[in-house]
Amino acid sequence: MITIPYLTALTTYFSYGLLFAFGQFRDFFRKIFDWWQASNLQGYAPICLGLEDFYIRRLYLRIQDCFGRPISSPPDAWFDVVERVSNDNNKTLKRTTVINRCLNLGSYNYLGFAAADEYCTPRVIETLKKFSPSTCSTRVDGGTTTLHSELEEVVANFVGKPAAVVFGMGYVTNSAILPVLIGKGGLIISDSLNHNSIVNGARGSGATIRVFQHNTPSHLEKVLREQIADGQPRTHRPWKKIIVVVEGIYSMEGELCKLPEIVAICKKYKAYVYLDEAHSIGAVGKTGRGVCELLGVDTADIDIMMGTFTKSFGSCGGYIAGSMELIQYLKYTCPAHLYATSISPPAAQQIISSIKVILGEDGSSRGAQKLAKIRENSNFFRSELQKMGFEVLGDNDSPVMPIMLYNPAKIPAFSRECLKQQVAVVTVAFPATPLLLARARICISAAHTREDLVRALEVISRVGDLVGIKYFPAEPNKQQLDDGRVKLE
Amino acid sequence: MASVAMDMLRAASDWLTLAFDAPSAKAVVFGVNIGGHLFVEGILFVVIIFLLSQKSYKPPKRPLTKKEIDELCDEWVPEPLIPKIGEEMKHEPPVLESAAGPHAIVNGKEVLNFASANYLGLLGHEKLLESCTKSLEKYGVGSCGPRGFYGTIDVHLDCEARIAKFLGTPDSILYSYGLSTMFSAIPAFCKKGDVIVADEGVHWGIQNGLQLSRSTIVYFKHNDMESLRKTLEKITQENKRAEKVRRYIVVEAVYQNSGQISPLDEIVRLKEKYRFRVLLDESNSLGVLGSSGRGLTERYKVPVEKIDIITAAMGHALATEGGFCTGSARVIDHQRLSSSGYVFSASLPPYLASAAITAIDVVEENPDLITKLKENIALLWKGLSGVQGLQIVSDPESPILFLRLKKSTGSSKDDLQLLEVIADHVLKEESVFVVTSKRSTLDKCNLPVGIRLFISAGHSESDLARAAEALKKVAASVLHDEE
Ligand SMILES: Cc1ncc(COP(=O)(O)O)c(C=O)c1O
Ligand SMILES: Cc1ncc(COP(=O)(O)O)c(C=O)c1O
């Protein structure tokens, strides 16, 4: 739950209203202009539609340069951002050869495995030579190599489940698994802020979808009770099964899932738990085993554990871990296992090696150091930001920390000013967040040194003063804050 | 009782006369004479509004008590998460101990590999390995972010430009996984209310995209142009507003489920006649069809701009991973913000993008690879003619040779089991690795199952002869009583 000051809400609405009005105004003239010229559609309906297209043309294009900035180096603690120029008011951007070395606060490089690593990289290259970049085949045909079997074993061990299956993309893992597990007559209860891959998987399954308030166990319980008592819509037959889908760390909120409470409720009401650990696996927990370890939940209580390798492990792909039977069934019928090219062997090796480093099986203590470092870095950075008076979301220990911007004009201002001072941050706006709740998002890495963070804090503080996003007084006084604010979900 | 009613009626009529006679009843407001009847109408109007604003009668609802809900919750028994594990679900695929090249190692034994769609034999190609190594050393493995958030690495942009240049299109967009390409691209353009005409044999990635788009889906008979024409005609006739809705035809260049090839010239003719847009999946034709490997459009000499949206997975002839979509600048730019698999997923690992660039370079420099593949396809066709109990149903130009049972057992599950036995024997006894076309329970395709052989330019003449002999021998022994 985010509270937003009245004045900010008002000015934010006003800014969007103005942008909208101007956009409509320009569209009006464009329409007249188009009408003048003969239509060139020749009997086809336009390929891009109304409002979505409007948003892109009139709002997004103005600040296009804040997104999709190309880089020309690995996404390590520091990276090379390629400068782009536009000759047509930001409509198109052209790459230049000018490079800007920036501090990277945007990539999901939690453990710093994105760049070359003394243990992983030689093994990855060796694997490339032995197995080639691809198998050109699906897992059930010719795409299972000894490396894939090893990877599944390593992953199952690491997350603490009897078995696992891996796929070449995290998004596909979610969107292709949910339809296998549940269909018509089933119910998916999903956190309101779940990732798009989960939403797509749920839609593709044909099951009924209900949403509970973000990270609110009491509301989950209410929805569960209502749904079990009501049964399926119209026929009122009992539900075949209920799957509750939550994420370990919410990537746009930085919040940890209230897993112990949610698991207790699911147990009570016999619902299955599906946990997406995309951002938490490897990044939190004493030995990097994710939110279960951090919050003291027994992995046996989680029916389906999902995660991705794109973040902490610096590779690509996703996994599902669960009981032996579950994995056997998925391997028998999951479309992503049957029809998709198996995960690229060098990427598989990167995952195996990075897990070995995390567990200290490489014979060094680098893994433990990385884990200590990311925790220390995250907590330091978060508390410093809060002290400065920024409105920072999320929980302690989480390496993701959004800073609220609210006003649409502050999105490009914050992003561009930071970049000018060699700090690369990510800004997120509608549609990834609700219209009012635009934010900047910081992702902390174990690769950041203390000097890097101090430097980043200085820049963010300066830019924060400039664009006016220190919504709290420095060293906030809690009592005073709760007055005069609108509650928003 | 009656008198009471009479009294009330009288009172009401008195009231009415009073209203007609009231001083205000003769008032003139803005030149309008407020006669008595206007006054009554006014009252009636108010009454009607009052009645309309009332809720219609509903039997009073008695919500369940807390105790009742508790009981219902206690009584509810969910189904198990997954069905019981049957014997057929325990099948384990062969595990390779080497790269999946034309010759691979399974169980310590060298086998001839016909299971990998390594059409041009680029898997393990010297130049690809070199560019991957360079890329791995420079960029690491993963990109650690979606394209919007610093996950765009210069090789991605180079790769997109290279693909567009190769195919002669204005622009292209990279996806991080082949399977995600179609199921993201279709819903980006097709929404509720749009009409999609699709082949019934399309692979699951497309089916999933069709389902997610929530458009009206009409299937036509597999690769049957007469059926397509009738479907288009019917839709155009029936739908008065057809001009206003967006209409698409979705086809695959080479169908993975049958090895058939779409007659693109005919499709383009129909598309232009009925004004549908075409989405073409070139996953199995890129690098294979056409004299220089530019795919189906080159094979049929159709200008590439006539096809509105082209997608392809790069895990086949290009021997890398990921996928791309290519078309006009508008089509591509739209996806950069509206395509779920592009926006919400980490970008393609840079080394795989480098591999794709190099693979295209290699294809352009060595057109003889395509010639060799064509020869190999013809050779295997010849070698397999007259195989007992099986029938080739794929197109003679298709790099996927698709064999199905001449006489089906009646159920596709039993058919598949029979074919599995053949594939198993061929691998174990003859060391030739061939695979069946397995189907997920989610897959709605109902074309007959079969054995698939993925032919590669890397196979030698003797490899092909050996494979054909092996299949013939095993088919003859397993299917001896079929003919
Ligand atoms: C919660 C969640 N699930 C799944 C994914 C998709 O993972 P990938 O990037 O590997 O496709 C993401 C990525 O952002 C995510 O945040
Ligand atoms: C599975 C699932 N989760 C979450 C959401 C997001 O819900 P909302 O936008 O209503 O908060 C949706 C909405 O479609 C959904 O389908």
Side-chain angles (χ1 to χ4, degrees), chain A residues 41-49 52-53 56 60 67-75 79 81 95 106-109 114-116 124-125 128-137 139-142 144-146 149 167-169 171-172 175-176 179-181 195-196 200 203-204 206 225 228-229 238-243 252 269-270 272 303-304 310-311 314-316 325-326 328-329 332-336 338-344 346-347 350 424-428 441, chain B residues 64 66 69-70 72-83 85 88-90 92-100 115-118 123-124 128-129 132-133 136-150 152-154 157-158 176-177 179-180 183 189 191 204 208 211-212 214 243-248 271-272 275-277 309 315-316 319-321 330-331 334 337-338 340-341 344-346 349 351-352 355 433 435-436 438-443 452 454:
Chain A
L41 285 170
Q42 302 167 345
Y44 294 93
I47 198 160
C48 305
L49 282 185
E52 191 177 351
D53 195 35
I56 294 173
Y60 172 78
F67 306 96
R69 289 185 184 130
I71 61 173
S72 61
S73 71
F79 62 177
V81 179
R95 260 192 297 166
S107 299
Y108 309 129
N109 175 26
V124 169
I125 289 176
L128 171 75
K129 300 223 161 88
K130 181 165 177 210
F131 286 104
S132 297
S134 170
T135 61
C136 295
S137 187
R139 285 295 306 280
V140 287
D141 291 348
T144 302
T145 66
T146 42
S149 311
F167 305 97
M169 182 192 190
Y171 191 99
V172 165
S175 73
V180 177
L181 297 177
H195 190 254
N196 179 276
N200 250 351
R203 281 194 191 144
R225 287 175 66 87
I228 296 176
W239 293 109
K240 287 187 177 154
K241 54 189 148 189
I242 300 179
I243 298 184
M252 290 295 163
Y269 294 96
K270 291 164 279 193
Y272 301 108
D303 301 277
I304 308 123
T310 33
K311 281 100 196 180
S315 179
C316 69
E325 293 76 33
L326 172 72
Q328 227 161 31
Y329 183 65
Y332 164 69
T333 195
C334 176
L338 263 57
Y339 302 135
T341 315
S342 58
I343 182 169
S344 166
Q350 165 79 13
V425 294
V426 164
T427 47
V428 200
R441 187 184 58 186
Chain B
L64 297 172
K66 184 167 178 302
I69 295 181
D70 279 340
L72 281 168
C73 289
D74 277 344
E75 278 163 24
W76 180 63
V77 186
E79 278 179 11
L81 187 58
I82 46 164
I85 296 294
E88 78 276 14
M89 301 185 190
K90 293 187 180 153
E92 290 279 341
V95 178
L96 276 68
E97 288 146 30
S98 69
S116 292
N118 166 29
L123 200 141
L128 265 75
L129 292 187
C132 281
T133 312
L136 280 170
E137 279 165 356
K138 181 165 180 207
Y139 300 106
V141 179
S143 62
C144 282
R147 287 290 294 268
F149 303 150
Y150 304 105
T152 302
I153 296 171
D154 47 8
L157 300 172
D158 295 340
S176 47
Y177 209 34
L179 189 68
S180 71
F183 83 60
F189 294 104
K191 310 274 171 188
W204 182 82
N208 192 230
Q211 189 191 358
L212 289 174
R214 303 183 179 195
E243 282 272 291
K244 293 272 187 298
V245 298
R246 294 180 293 179
R247 291 145 286 151
Y248 297 90
K271 156 211 151 77
E272 289 184 337
R275 306 219 173 275
F276 275 59
R277 289 193 173 90
I309 301 168
H316 302 125
T320 166
E321 278 191 21
R330 187 149 174 73
V331 161
H334 180 70
L337 264 195
S338 312
S340 53
F344 295 102
S345 177
Y351 72 94
L352 292 172
F433 189 11
V435 287
T436 56
K438 298 166 194 77
R439 290 265 158 82
S440 159
T441 43
L442 296 181
D443 194 337
R452 272 198 287 238
F454 295 90

Side-chain angles (χ1 to χ4, degrees), chain A residues 261-273:
Chain A
E261 293 92 329
I262 287 173
V263 165
I265 289 169
C266 290
K267 246 189 178 170
K268 184 171 163 199
Y269 294 96
K270 291 164 279 193
Y272 301 108
V273 187

Side-chain angles (χ1 to χ4, degrees), chain B residues 219-251:
Chain B
Y219 287 101
F220 66 93
K221 273 223 203 74
H222 182 52
N223 219 14
D224 180 340
M225 288 306 110
E226 185 50 27
S227 166
L228 173 63
R229 191 191 60 77
K230 278 192 194 138
T231 314
L232 299 184
E233 178 70 37
K234 193 153 156 258
I235 289 171
T236 316
Q237 289 289 324
E238 276 175 8
N239 199 335
K240 296 248 153 35
R241 289 183 54 254
E243 282 272 291
K244 293 272 187 298
V245 298
R246 294 180 293 179
R247 291 145 286 151
Y248 297 90
I249 300 172
V250 177
V251 286

Side-chain angles (χ1 to χ4, degrees), chain B residues 165-469:
Chain B
K165 180 163 164 252
F166 179 62
L167 294 175
T169 47
D171 204 357
S172 64
I173 176 172
L174 274 183
Y175 283 86
S176 47
Y177 209 34
L179 189 68
S180 71
T181 311
M182 259 298 186
F183 83 60
S184 306
I186 294 177
F189 294 104
C190 313
K191 310 274 171 188
K192 209 169 182 154
D194 298 344
V195 178
I196 307 179
V197 178
D199 189 288
E200 62 177 2
V202 292
H203 73 72
W204 182 82
I206 298 181
Q207 291 173 25
N208 192 230
L210 296 176
Q211 189 191 358
L212 289 174
S213 73
R214 303 183 179 195
S215 310
T216 311
I217 320 278
V218 187
Y219 287 101
F220 66 93
K221 273 223 203 74
H222 182 52
N223 219 14
D224 180 340
M225 288 306 110
E226 185 50 27
S227 166
L228 173 63
R229 191 191 60 77
K230 278 192 194 138
T231 314
L232 299 184
E233 178 70 37
K234 193 153 156 258
I235 289 171
T236 316
Q237 289 289 324
E238 276 175 8
N239 199 335
K240 296 248 153 35
R241 289 183 54 254
E243 282 272 291
K244 293 272 187 298
V245 298
R246 294 180 293 179
R247 291 145 286 151
Y248 297 90
I249 300 172
V250 177
V251 286
E252 263 177 84
V254 175
Y255 288 93
Q256 210 155 16
N257 282 328
S258 72
Q260 303 243 318
I261 294 182
S262 283
L264 195 67
D265 45 354
E266 183 63 15
I267 291 175
V268 167
R269 208 180 56 72
L270 289 173
K271 156 211 151 77
E272 289 184 337
K273 178 165 174 211
Y274 294 100
R275 306 219 173 275
F276 275 59
R277 289 193 173 90
V278 175
L279 268 104
L280 176 67
D281 186 71
E282 293 245 32
S283 294
N284 290 295
S285 56
L286 184 78
V288 174
L289 295 183
S291 53
S292 59
R294 285 175 173 79
L296 195 64
T297 48
E298 191 184 28
R299 159 76 181 72
Y300 279 100
K301 306 206 166 46
V302 171
V304 72
E305 53 284 359
K306 293 213 172 192
I307 312 298
D308 303 87
I309 301 168
I310 294 177
T311 61
M314 304 195 292
H316 302 125
L318 297 185
T320 166
E321 278 191 21
F324 66 82
C325 175
T326 186
S328 69
R330 187 149 174 73
V331 161
I332 301 307
D333 285 343
H334 180 70
Q335 289 176 67
R336 296 199 193 271
L337 264 195
S338 312
S339 179
S340 53
Y342 178 84
V343 174
F344 295 102
S345 177
S347 55
L348 185 70
Y351 72 94
L352 292 172
S354 301
I357 298 176
T358 313
I360 293 176
D361 290 345
V362 172
V363 173
E364 258 185 354
E365 284 158 17
N366 303 288
D368 49 318
L369 283 177
I370 297 162
T371 324
K372 179 82 169 65
L373 173 62
K374 289 193 165 125
E375 283 166 18
N376 279 357
I377 296 171
L379 269 177
L380 193 61
W381 254 78
K382 210 162 110 219
L384 279 174
S385 63
V387 56
Q388 198 178 343
L390 295 169
Q391 166 186 15
I392 305 180
V393 292
S394 54
D395 192 283
E397 286 179 45
S398 151
I400 305 173
L401 195 141
F402 200 97
L403 288 161
R404 74 165 191 236
L405 288 174
K406 268 194 188 137
K407 228 165 61 202
S408 165
T409 57
S411 99
S412 90
K413 201 171 147 190
D414 293 343
D415 282 359
L416 192 62
Q417 224 149 33
L418 194 57
L419 294 165
E420 285 281 358
V421 172
I422 297 176
D424 230 36
H425 280 273
V426 175
L427 177 61
K428 298 231 168 81
E429 290 159 17
E430 309 289 333
S431 293
V432 177
F433 189 11
V434 298
V435 287
T436 56
S437 64
K438 298 166 194 77
R439 290 265 158 82
S440 159
T441 43
L442 296 181
D443 194 337
K444 295 192 195 73
C445 168
N446 53 12
L447 299 180
V449 292
I451 288 181
R452 272 198 287 238
L453 286 96
F454 295 90
I455 305 163
S456 167
H459 290 130
S460 69
E461 228 167 282
S462 60
D463 290 345
L464 296 163
R466 208 179 107 203
E469 277 319 305

